[in-house]
Amino acid sequence: MPESEDRPSATVGSPGLAVHTRPDGSRAHVAVSGELGLGVGEGLRAALRTALAGTDDGIDLDLSEVAFCDCSGLNILLGLREQALGEGKSVVLRAASPIVERLLTLTGTLSMLTPAAEQTGDRPELGVEVVQLRRAMQTRPTIDLARGVLMASFGLSPEDAWEVLVAVSQHTNTKLHRLADGLVEAVQGDPLPEPLRREVAAAVARVSAAGAKRAD
């Protein structure tokens, strides 16, 4: 691999997304800004894979300028982490916006990307971590279904439905995927527990009021 000064920085952009890659020795520093939702999936995945391929040891991620991130964005990050493991490299989250940190915490995936364990070597065996990554990624379809339930039931936008899921998960200390399971099961006839139902109603009311205020 050429020295870092021989590898130029690169910026990839699309509506709502910018990815800037800067060589840093045997690694690359990758700063992502904008919104990491369904509409930017392929562009983001391609940019991150290209950055990873151009390194010997892996990439350091700066997500401090990410304004929105849902499970589609999270799955891209986890998929990149799995690819890096298979290549003997690492993907380390060096900075994150409150939005990203909240999502990683609620989904139990923060420890898979943070630098502390990388530095101490306190990581599970490779096979174990790959299983953990795949299990985390498998929760996405149910979470997307739950978001669709909220959109259809309350006339919410995808962003507002996501905000409701995250808010209820936080306020009730319920893992995001468990809340999603409950919402999907409620459509099939198994009602949500009353405390969760009240929190969902309150969160919907809050985002609806905020949306009406923005429209004024």
Side-chain angles (χ1 to χ4, degrees):
M1 183 69 59
E3 293 299 320
S4 62
E5 56 265 26
D6 295 328
R7 292 183 283 134
S9 298
T11 300
V12 177
S14 64
L17 173 72
V19 181
H20 179 73
T21 303
R22 172 175 54 80
D24 186 11
S26 62
R27 300 180 65 79
H29 178 273
V30 181
V32 182
S33 60
E35 299 188 354
L36 309 190
L38 289 171
V40 302
E42 288 309 313
L44 176 62
R45 183 180 288 107
L48 292 177
R49 285 181 173 176
T50 298
L52 182 65
T55 71
D56 288 331
D57 293 336
I59 63 178
D60 297 315
L61 282 174
D62 179 353
L63 305 182
S64 58
E65 297 299 319
V66 171
F68 175 80
C69 184
D70 62 12
C71 277
S72 58
L74 173 61
N75 267 25
I76 290 171
L77 298 178
L78 296 180
L80 183 73
R81 171 70 184 168
E82 182 178 358
Q83 178 182 340
L85 286 173
E87 297 174 2
K89 302 177 183 180
S90 64
V91 175
V92 180
L93 181 63
R94 296 296 179 182
S97 67
I99 293 288
V100 173
E101 188 168 349
R102 181 171 65 168
L103 173 61
L104 295 176
T105 300
L106 290 174
T107 55
T109 54
L110 183 61
S111 63
M112 297 180 184
L113 294 168
T114 48
E118 294 283 350
Q119 295 167 353
T120 63
D122 186 21
R123 284 277 182 196
E125 294 292 329
L126 176 59
V128 173
E129 182 164 1
V130 169
V131 169
Q132 291 173 343
L133 285 165
R134 290 178 179 172
R135 185 180 299 129
M137 288 187 284
Q138 285 168 357
T139 65
R140 177 191 163 187
T142 303
I143 293 173
D144 284 345
L145 278 174
R147 182 159 61 167
V149 167
L150 293 172
M151 291 167 62
S153 300
F154 301 104
L156 300 176
S157 68
E159 293 78 12
D160 283 347
W162 176 253
E163 183 59 33
V164 168
L165 281 173
V166 171
V168 174
S169 176
Q170 276 192 309
H171 292 165
T172 63
N173 196 28
T174 305
K175 288 291 186 183
L176 203 55
H177 70 91
R178 294 192 184 281
L179 172 61
D181 285 341
L183 286 167
V184 173
E185 289 167 2
V187 172
Q188 299 168 347
D190 189 4
L192 277 176
E194 184 60 22
L196 278 180
R197 191 196 64 77
R198 287 198 301 267
E199 281 294 338
V200 168
V204 168
R206 285 195 298 271
V207 299
S208 298
K213 187 175 295 186
R214 288 194 300 267
D216 290 342

